[in-house]
mmCIF file of all heavy atoms in Angstrom:
data_model
loop_
_atom_site.group_PDB
_atom_site.id
_atom_site.type_symbol
_atom_site.label_atom_id
_atom_site.label_comp_id
_atom_site.label_asym_id
_atom_site.label_seq_id
_atom_site.Cartn_x
_atom_site.Cartn_y
_atom_site.Cartn_z
ATOM 1 N N GLU X 10 -164.466 -29.259 -58.183
ATOM 2 C CA GLU X 10 -163.997 -28.530 -56.987
ATOM 3 C C GLU X 10 -162.546 -28.050 -57.228
ATOM 4 O O GLU X 10 -161.685 -28.825 -57.591
ATOM 5 C CB GLU X 10 -164.054 -29.412 -55.788
ATOM 6 C CG GLU X 10 -163.570 -28.751 -54.500
ATOM 7 C CD GLU X 10 -163.576 -29.734 -53.341
ATOM 8 O OE1 GLU X 10 -163.729 -30.907 -53.546
ATOM 9 O OE2 GLU X 10 -163.441 -29.294 -52.166
ATOM 10 N N ARG X 11 -162.281 -26.782 -56.937
ATOM 11 C CA ARG X 11 -160.945 -26.210 -57.004
ATOM 12 C C ARG X 11 -160.461 -25.947 -55.619
ATOM 13 O O ARG X 11 -161.108 -25.289 -54.806
ATOM 14 C CB ARG X 11 -160.927 -24.953 -57.855
ATOM 15 C CG ARG X 11 -159.694 -24.161 -57.794
ATOM 16 C CD ARG X 11 -158.608 -24.754 -58.705
ATOM 17 N NE ARG X 11 -157.328 -23.974 -58.580
ATOM 18 C CZ ARG X 11 -157.102 -22.859 -59.306
ATOM 19 N NH1 ARG X 11 -157.963 -22.444 -60.179
ATOM 20 N NH2 ARG X 11 -155.977 -22.195 -59.183
ATOM 21 N N SER X 12 -159.304 -26.538 -55.280
ATOM 22 C CA SER X 12 -158.665 -26.328 -54.003
ATOM 23 C C SER X 12 -157.234 -25.995 -54.217
ATOM 24 O O SER X 12 -156.427 -26.896 -54.448
ATOM 25 C CB SER X 12 -158.858 -27.576 -53.106
ATOM 26 O OG SER X 12 -158.222 -27.393 -51.853
ATOM 27 N N GLY X 13 -156.953 -24.723 -54.189
ATOM 28 C CA GLY X 13 -155.559 -24.285 -54.506
ATOM 29 C C GLY X 13 -155.193 -24.719 -55.873
ATOM 30 O O GLY X 13 -155.885 -24.407 -56.842
ATOM 31 N N PRO X 14 -154.042 -25.414 -55.985
ATOM 32 C CA PRO X 14 -153.576 -25.861 -57.388
ATOM 33 C C PRO X 14 -154.205 -27.109 -57.898
ATOM 34 O O PRO X 14 -153.793 -27.635 -58.925
ATOM 35 C CB PRO X 14 -152.064 -26.020 -57.158
ATOM 36 C CG PRO X 14 -152.008 -26.516 -55.714
ATOM 37 C CD PRO X 14 -153.099 -25.808 -54.985
ATOM 38 N N VAL X 15 -155.188 -27.638 -57.157
ATOM 39 C CA VAL X 15 -155.773 -28.949 -57.505
ATOM 40 C C VAL X 15 -157.226 -28.792 -57.929
ATOM 41 O O VAL X 15 -158.027 -28.193 -57.189
ATOM 42 C CB VAL X 15 -155.686 -29.957 -56.392
ATOM 43 C CG1 VAL X 15 -156.330 -31.270 -56.768
ATOM 44 C CG2 VAL X 15 -154.256 -30.108 -55.886
ATOM 45 N N THR X 16 -157.584 -29.264 -59.105
ATOM 46 C CA THR X 16 -158.970 -29.399 -59.499
ATOM 47 C C THR X 16 -159.415 -30.812 -59.407
ATOM 48 O O THR X 16 -158.733 -31.755 -59.923
ATOM 49 C CB THR X 16 -159.172 -28.884 -60.959
ATOM 50 O OG1 THR X 16 -159.043 -27.469 -61.014
ATOM 51 C CG2 THR X 16 -160.561 -29.267 -61.492
ATOM 52 N N ARG X 17 -160.509 -31.024 -58.730
ATOM 53 C CA ARG X 17 -161.086 -32.375 -58.549
ATOM 54 C C ARG X 17 -162.384 -32.470 -59.340
ATOM 55 O O ARG X 17 -163.308 -31.667 -59.126
ATOM 56 C CB ARG X 17 -161.296 -32.702 -57.092
ATOM 57 C CG ARG X 17 -161.912 -34.089 -56.839
ATOM 58 C CD ARG X 17 -162.073 -34.269 -55.347
ATOM 59 N NE ARG X 17 -160.760 -34.525 -54.725
ATOM 60 C CZ ARG X 17 -160.226 -35.675 -54.297
ATOM 61 N NH1 ARG X 17 -160.980 -36.760 -54.496
ATOM 62 N NH2 ARG X 17 -159.068 -35.738 -53.726
ATOM 63 N N VAL X 18 -162.518 -33.447 -60.223
ATOM 64 C CA VAL X 18 -163.650 -33.752 -60.991
ATOM 65 C C VAL X 18 -164.300 -35.068 -60.484
ATOM 66 O O VAL X 18 -163.644 -36.075 -60.571
ATOM 67 C CB VAL X 18 -163.358 -33.800 -62.488
ATOM 68 C CG1 VAL X 18 -164.597 -34.166 -63.337
ATOM 69 C CG2 VAL X 18 -162.758 -32.494 -62.998
ATOM 70 N N THR X 19 -165.500 -35.011 -59.995
ATOM 71 C CA THR X 19 -166.113 -36.205 -59.389
ATOM 72 C C THR X 19 -167.392 -36.604 -60.157
ATOM 73 O O THR X 19 -168.345 -35.802 -60.303
ATOM 74 C CB THR X 19 -166.491 -35.912 -57.933
ATOM 75 O OG1 THR X 19 -165.318 -35.473 -57.228
ATOM 76 C CG2 THR X 19 -167.098 -37.131 -57.254
ATOM 77 N N PHE X 20 -167.423 -37.786 -60.627
ATOM 78 C CA PHE X 20 -168.636 -38.387 -61.222
ATOM 79 C C PHE X 20 -169.641 -38.537 -60.104
ATOM 80 O O PHE X 20 -169.343 -39.145 -59.059
ATOM 81 C CB PHE X 20 -168.316 -39.696 -61.882
ATOM 82 C CG PHE X 20 -167.257 -39.665 -62.935
ATOM 83 C CD1 PHE X 20 -166.197 -40.528 -62.863
ATOM 84 C CD2 PHE X 20 -167.286 -38.712 -63.948
ATOM 85 C CE1 PHE X 20 -165.172 -40.517 -63.810
ATOM 86 C CE2 PHE X 20 -166.276 -38.638 -64.882
ATOM 87 C CZ PHE X 20 -165.209 -39.524 -64.796
ATOM 88 N N ASN X 21 -170.819 -38.052 -60.261
ATOM 89 C CA ASN X 21 -171.742 -37.857 -59.159
ATOM 90 C C ASN X 21 -173.142 -38.502 -59.423
ATOM 91 O O ASN X 21 -174.175 -37.818 -59.322
ATOM 92 C CB ASN X 21 -171.865 -36.384 -58.749
ATOM 93 C CG ASN X 21 -172.613 -36.214 -57.481
ATOM 94 O OD1 ASN X 21 -172.445 -36.990 -56.587
ATOM 95 N ND2 ASN X 21 -173.447 -35.169 -57.442
ATOM 96 N N ARG X 22 -173.168 -39.774 -59.770
ATOM 97 C CA ARG X 22 -174.434 -40.544 -59.906
ATOM 98 C C ARG X 22 -174.285 -41.765 -59.009
ATOM 99 O O ARG X 22 -174.262 -42.910 -59.523
ATOM 100 C CB ARG X 22 -174.755 -40.900 -61.306
ATOM 101 C CG ARG X 22 -174.999 -39.743 -62.270
ATOM 102 C CD ARG X 22 -175.399 -40.254 -63.640
ATOM 103 N NE ARG X 22 -176.712 -40.875 -63.598
ATOM 104 C CZ ARG X 22 -177.153 -41.782 -64.431
ATOM 105 N NH1 ARG X 22 -176.304 -42.297 -65.318
ATOM 106 N NH2 ARG X 22 -178.366 -42.286 -64.344
ATOM 107 N N PRO X 23 -174.058 -41.635 -57.688
ATOM 108 C CA PRO X 23 -173.731 -42.785 -56.857
ATOM 109 C C PRO X 23 -174.781 -43.853 -56.826
ATOM 110 O O PRO X 23 -174.434 -45.024 -56.708
ATOM 111 C CB PRO X 23 -173.548 -42.148 -55.482
ATOM 112 C CG PRO X 23 -174.254 -40.844 -55.518
ATOM 113 C CD PRO X 23 -174.113 -40.357 -56.936
ATOM 114 N N ASN X 24 -176.053 -43.501 -57.087
ATOM 115 C CA ASN X 24 -177.073 -44.518 -57.041
ATOM 116 C C ASN X 24 -177.033 -45.437 -58.247
ATOM 117 O O ASN X 24 -177.622 -46.539 -58.206
ATOM 118 C CB ASN X 24 -178.488 -43.851 -56.962
ATOM 119 C CG ASN X 24 -178.710 -43.189 -55.663
ATOM 120 O OD1 ASN X 24 -178.084 -43.500 -54.602
ATOM 121 N ND2 ASN X 24 -179.624 -42.170 -55.651
ATOM 122 N N SER X 25 -176.317 -45.004 -59.322
ATOM 123 C CA SER X 25 -176.190 -45.926 -60.449
ATOM 124 C C SER X 25 -174.727 -46.306 -60.663
ATOM 125 O O SER X 25 -174.292 -46.625 -61.727
ATOM 126 C CB SER X 25 -176.648 -45.136 -61.729
ATOM 127 O OG SER X 25 -175.810 -44.036 -62.040
ATOM 128 N N LEU X 26 -173.958 -46.201 -59.533
ATOM 129 C CA LEU X 26 -172.471 -46.485 -59.583
ATOM 130 C C LEU X 26 -171.797 -45.586 -60.602
ATOM 131 O O LEU X 26 -170.844 -45.960 -61.248
ATOM 132 C CB LEU X 26 -172.270 -47.978 -59.892
ATOM 133 C CG LEU X 26 -172.799 -48.983 -58.910
ATOM 134 C CD1 LEU X 26 -172.433 -50.374 -59.292
ATOM 135 C CD2 LEU X 26 -172.352 -48.701 -57.449
ATOM 136 N N ASN X 27 -172.325 -44.333 -60.673
ATOM 137 C CA ASN X 27 -171.707 -43.358 -61.558
ATOM 138 C C ASN X 27 -171.688 -43.695 -63.018
ATOM 139 O O ASN X 27 -170.718 -43.475 -63.732
ATOM 140 C CB ASN X 27 -170.337 -42.923 -61.063
ATOM 141 C CG ASN X 27 -170.332 -42.401 -59.646
ATOM 142 O OD1 ASN X 27 -171.207 -41.623 -59.268
ATOM 143 N ND2 ASN X 27 -169.395 -42.911 -58.821
ATOM 144 N N ALA X 28 -172.766 -44.465 -63.415
ATOM 145 C CA ALA X 28 -172.893 -44.800 -64.846
ATOM 146 C C ALA X 28 -172.929 -43.568 -65.731
ATOM 147 O O ALA X 28 -173.525 -42.536 -65.359
ATOM 148 C CB ALA X 28 -174.164 -45.659 -65.086
ATOM 149 N N PHE X 29 -172.223 -43.610 -66.837
ATOM 150 C CA PHE X 29 -172.097 -42.456 -67.710
ATOM 151 C C PHE X 29 -173.350 -42.188 -68.554
ATOM 152 O O PHE X 29 -173.951 -43.070 -69.102
ATOM 153 C CB PHE X 29 -170.961 -42.637 -68.685
ATOM 154 C CG PHE X 29 -169.577 -42.649 -68.031
ATOM 155 C CD1 PHE X 29 -168.577 -43.490 -68.496
ATOM 156 C CD2 PHE X 29 -169.296 -41.851 -66.926
ATOM 157 C CE1 PHE X 29 -167.322 -43.552 -67.936
ATOM 158 C CE2 PHE X 29 -168.007 -41.894 -66.369
ATOM 159 C CZ PHE X 29 -167.026 -42.732 -66.900
ATOM 160 N N THR X 30 -173.670 -40.869 -68.627
ATOM 161 C CA THR X 30 -174.586 -40.394 -69.632
ATOM 162 C C THR X 30 -173.845 -39.492 -70.580
ATOM 163 O O THR X 30 -172.776 -38.961 -70.182
ATOM 164 C CB THR X 30 -175.740 -39.570 -68.982
ATOM 165 O OG1 THR X 30 -175.164 -38.370 -68.403
ATOM 166 C CG2 THR X 30 -176.472 -40.413 -67.895
ATOM 167 N N PRO X 31 -174.304 -39.202 -71.795
ATOM 168 C CA PRO X 31 -173.591 -38.307 -72.720
ATOM 169 C C PRO X 31 -173.315 -36.956 -72.106
ATOM 170 O O PRO X 31 -172.174 -36.444 -72.219
ATOM 171 C CB PRO X 31 -174.487 -38.281 -73.922
ATOM 172 C CG PRO X 31 -175.209 -39.582 -73.949
ATOM 173 C CD PRO X 31 -175.453 -39.872 -72.487
ATOM 174 N N GLN X 32 -174.335 -36.366 -71.464
ATOM 175 C CA GLN X 32 -174.143 -35.026 -70.910
ATOM 176 C C GLN X 32 -173.126 -35.006 -69.801
ATOM 177 O O GLN X 32 -172.288 -34.112 -69.659
ATOM 178 C CB GLN X 32 -175.472 -34.478 -70.384
ATOM 179 C CG GLN X 32 -175.357 -33.089 -69.800
ATOM 180 C CD GLN X 32 -174.845 -32.088 -70.796
ATOM 181 O OE1 GLN X 32 -175.295 -31.997 -71.924
ATOM 182 N NE2 GLN X 32 -173.762 -31.318 -70.447
ATOM 183 N N MET X 33 -173.142 -36.066 -69.005
ATOM 184 C CA MET X 33 -172.134 -36.263 -67.912
ATOM 185 C C MET X 33 -170.748 -36.212 -68.467
ATOM 186 O O MET X 33 -169.832 -35.537 -67.939
ATOM 187 C CB MET X 33 -172.472 -37.527 -67.133
ATOM 188 C CG MET X 33 -171.627 -37.849 -65.975
ATOM 189 S SD MET X 33 -172.253 -39.431 -65.342
ATOM 190 C CE MET X 33 -171.117 -39.713 -64.015
ATOM 191 N N LEU X 34 -170.538 -36.968 -69.503
ATOM 192 C CA LEU X 34 -169.242 -37.074 -70.156
ATOM 193 C C LEU X 34 -168.749 -35.703 -70.781
ATOM 194 O O LEU X 34 -167.595 -35.309 -70.619
ATOM 195 C CB LEU X 34 -169.180 -38.143 -71.199
ATOM 196 C CG LEU X 34 -169.364 -39.546 -70.632
ATOM 197 C CD1 LEU X 34 -169.825 -40.529 -71.711
ATOM 198 C CD2 LEU X 34 -168.075 -40.034 -70.024
ATOM 199 N N THR X 35 -169.720 -35.022 -71.368
ATOM 200 C CA THR X 35 -169.423 -33.723 -71.934
ATOM 201 C C THR X 35 -168.989 -32.741 -70.867
ATOM 202 O O THR X 35 -168.023 -31.978 -70.966
ATOM 203 C CB THR X 35 -170.591 -33.174 -72.693
ATOM 204 O OG1 THR X 35 -170.894 -34.038 -73.812
ATOM 205 C CG2 THR X 35 -170.322 -31.774 -73.243
ATOM 206 N N THR X 36 -169.730 -32.761 -69.757
ATOM 207 C CA THR X 36 -169.436 -31.861 -68.636
ATOM 208 C C THR X 36 -168.072 -32.118 -68.044
ATOM 209 O O THR X 36 -167.295 -31.211 -67.749
ATOM 210 C CB THR X 36 -170.519 -31.925 -67.528
ATOM 211 O OG1 THR X 36 -171.789 -31.659 -68.091
ATOM 212 C CG2 THR X 36 -170.229 -31.087 -66.379
ATOM 213 N N ALA X 37 -167.746 -33.416 -67.850
ATOM 214 C CA ALA X 37 -166.457 -33.773 -67.299
ATOM 215 C C ALA X 37 -165.300 -33.357 -68.233
ATOM 216 O O ALA X 37 -164.267 -32.861 -67.817
ATOM 217 C CB ALA X 37 -166.382 -35.287 -67.033
ATOM 218 N N THR X 38 -165.538 -33.593 -69.565
ATOM 219 C CA THR X 38 -164.532 -33.159 -70.541
ATOM 220 C C THR X 38 -164.294 -31.673 -70.490
ATOM 221 O O THR X 38 -163.101 -31.195 -70.529
ATOM 222 C CB THR X 38 -164.956 -33.572 -71.904
ATOM 223 O OG1 THR X 38 -165.110 -35.038 -71.985
ATOM 224 C CG2 THR X 38 -163.937 -33.203 -72.997
ATOM 225 N N GLN X 39 -165.346 -30.920 -70.424
ATOM 226 C CA GLN X 39 -165.201 -29.440 -70.339
ATOM 227 C C GLN X 39 -164.459 -28.981 -69.107
ATOM 228 O O GLN X 39 -163.678 -28.082 -69.156
ATOM 229 C CB GLN X 39 -166.601 -28.771 -70.421
ATOM 230 C CG GLN X 39 -167.300 -28.955 -71.793
ATOM 231 C CD GLN X 39 -168.762 -28.529 -71.762
ATOM 232 O OE1 GLN X 39 -169.345 -28.315 -70.718
ATOM 233 N NE2 GLN X 39 -169.306 -28.308 -72.890
ATOM 234 N N ALA X 40 -164.731 -29.691 -67.998
ATOM 235 C CA ALA X 40 -164.032 -29.365 -66.796
ATOM 236 C C ALA X 40 -162.532 -29.648 -66.876
ATOM 237 O O ALA X 40 -161.683 -28.871 -66.388
ATOM 238 C CB ALA X 40 -164.660 -30.126 -65.621
ATOM 239 N N ILE X 41 -162.151 -30.778 -67.487
ATOM 240 C CA ILE X 41 -160.761 -31.112 -67.692
ATOM 241 C C ILE X 41 -160.102 -30.085 -68.583
ATOM 242 O O ILE X 41 -158.960 -29.612 -68.273
ATOM 243 C CB ILE X 41 -160.639 -32.527 -68.269
ATOM 244 C CG1 ILE X 41 -161.197 -33.587 -67.331
ATOM 245 C CG2 ILE X 41 -159.160 -32.849 -68.643
ATOM 246 C CD1 ILE X 41 -160.504 -33.717 -66.021
ATOM 247 N N GLU X 42 -160.744 -29.756 -69.693
ATOM 248 C CA GLU X 42 -160.136 -28.806 -70.601
ATOM 249 C C GLU X 42 -159.980 -27.401 -69.906
ATOM 250 O O GLU X 42 -159.003 -26.706 -70.171
ATOM 251 C CB GLU X 42 -161.004 -28.717 -71.863
ATOM 252 C CG GLU X 42 -160.931 -30.049 -72.676
ATOM 253 C CD GLU X 42 -161.939 -29.993 -73.861
ATOM 254 O OE1 GLU X 42 -162.891 -29.154 -73.826
ATOM 255 O OE2 GLU X 42 -161.785 -30.851 -74.764
ATOM 256 N N ALA X 43 -161.007 -27.026 -69.135
ATOM 257 C CA ALA X 43 -160.898 -25.753 -68.471
ATOM 258 C C ALA X 43 -159.762 -25.719 -67.493
ATOM 259 O O ALA X 43 -159.023 -24.700 -67.361
ATOM 260 C CB ALA X 43 -162.232 -25.391 -67.772
ATOM 261 N N ALA X 44 -159.578 -26.806 -66.779
ATOM 262 C CA ALA X 44 -158.482 -26.940 -65.796
ATOM 263 C C ALA X 44 -157.097 -26.791 -66.493
ATOM 264 O O ALA X 44 -156.162 -26.239 -66.036
ATOM 265 C CB ALA X 44 -158.528 -28.212 -65.002
ATOM 266 N N GLY X 45 -157.034 -27.383 -67.731
ATOM 267 C CA GLY X 45 -155.813 -27.337 -68.495
ATOM 268 C C GLY X 45 -155.448 -25.922 -68.958
ATOM 269 O O GLY X 45 -154.278 -25.625 -69.193
ATOM 270 N N ARG X 46 -156.478 -25.062 -69.108
ATOM 271 C CA ARG X 46 -156.221 -23.679 -69.569
ATOM 272 C C ARG X 46 -155.920 -22.773 -68.431
ATOM 273 O O ARG X 46 -155.411 -21.660 -68.595
ATOM 274 C CB ARG X 46 -157.412 -23.191 -70.313
ATOM 275 C CG ARG X 46 -157.705 -23.840 -71.683
ATOM 276 C CD ARG X 46 -158.803 -23.126 -72.457
ATOM 277 N NE ARG X 46 -160.051 -23.131 -71.756
ATOM 278 C CZ ARG X 46 -160.974 -24.034 -71.966
ATOM 279 N NH1 ARG X 46 -160.755 -25.029 -72.814
ATOM 280 N NH2 ARG X 46 -162.185 -23.980 -71.327
ATOM 281 N N ASP X 47 -156.168 -23.229 -67.183
ATOM 282 C CA ASP X 47 -155.998 -22.400 -65.998
ATOM 283 C C ASP X 47 -154.568 -22.597 -65.494
ATOM 284 O O ASP X 47 -154.164 -23.624 -65.028
ATOM 285 C CB ASP X 47 -157.007 -22.817 -64.905
ATOM 286 C CG ASP X 47 -156.958 -21.929 -63.679
ATOM 287 O OD1 ASP X 47 -156.022 -21.259 -63.439
ATOM 288 O OD2 ASP X 47 -158.044 -21.911 -62.949
ATOM 289 N N ARG X 48 -153.763 -21.501 -65.547
ATOM 290 C CA ARG X 48 -152.372 -21.621 -65.161
ATOM 291 C C ARG X 48 -152.210 -21.848 -63.681
ATOM 292 O O ARG X 48 -151.155 -22.317 -63.239
ATOM 293 C CB ARG X 48 -151.654 -20.319 -65.600
ATOM 294 C CG ARG X 48 -151.563 -20.134 -67.099
ATOM 295 C CD ARG X 48 -150.845 -18.790 -67.422
ATOM 296 N NE ARG X 48 -149.458 -18.800 -66.981
ATOM 297 C CZ ARG X 48 -148.422 -19.321 -67.660
ATOM 298 N NH1 ARG X 48 -148.671 -19.880 -68.859
ATOM 299 N NH2 ARG X 48 -147.216 -19.282 -67.200
ATOM 300 N N GLY X 49 -153.228 -21.592 -62.905
ATOM 301 C CA GLY X 49 -153.168 -21.838 -61.506
ATOM 302 C C GLY X 49 -153.354 -23.280 -61.111
ATOM 303 O O GLY X 49 -153.072 -23.698 -59.968
ATOM 304 N N VAL X 50 -153.863 -24.090 -62.038
ATOM 305 C CA VAL X 50 -154.121 -25.497 -61.729
ATOM 306 C C VAL X 50 -152.896 -26.268 -62.102
ATOM 307 O O VAL X 50 -152.353 -26.177 -63.221
ATOM 308 C CB VAL X 50 -155.379 -26.018 -62.544
ATOM 309 C CG1 VAL X 50 -155.481 -27.525 -62.354
ATOM 310 C CG2 VAL X 50 -156.664 -25.300 -62.098
ATOM 311 N N ARG X 51 -152.405 -27.070 -61.200
ATOM 312 C CA ARG X 51 -151.181 -27.848 -61.454
ATOM 313 C C ARG X 51 -151.368 -29.367 -61.444
ATOM 314 O O ARG X 51 -150.566 -30.080 -61.893
ATOM 315 C CB ARG X 51 -150.137 -27.447 -60.381
ATOM 316 C CG ARG X 51 -149.734 -26.008 -60.442
ATOM 317 C CD ARG X 51 -148.871 -25.535 -59.287
ATOM 318 N NE ARG X 51 -147.582 -26.141 -59.283
ATOM 319 C CZ ARG X 51 -146.520 -25.592 -59.899
ATOM 320 N NH1 ARG X 51 -146.631 -24.469 -60.545
ATOM 321 N NH2 ARG X 51 -145.344 -26.181 -59.849
ATOM 322 N N VAL X 52 -152.556 -29.797 -60.911
ATOM 323 C CA VAL X 52 -152.904 -31.197 -60.848
ATOM 324 C C VAL X 52 -154.376 -31.370 -61.007
ATOM 325 O O VAL X 52 -155.169 -30.478 -60.507
ATOM 326 C CB VAL X 52 -152.462 -31.866 -59.485
ATOM 327 C CG1 VAL X 52 -152.703 -33.392 -59.554
ATOM 328 C CG2 VAL X 52 -151.007 -31.546 -59.136
#
Side-chain angles (χ1 to χ4, degrees):
E10 179 184 11
R11 171 77 181 274
S12 178
V15 180
T16 288
R17 178 178 290 256
V18 178
T19 304
F20 305 128
N21 189 38
R22 296 185 69 208
N24 291 338
S25 65
L26 300 182
N27 301 316
F29 291 144
T30 66
Q32 182 56 52
M33 180 180 180
L34 292 161
T35 297
T36 301
T38 300
Q39 291 172 344
I41 297 297
E42 292 173 343
R46 292 190 296 269
D47 187 336
R48 294 180 63 86
V50 173
R51 298 169 69 88
V52 187

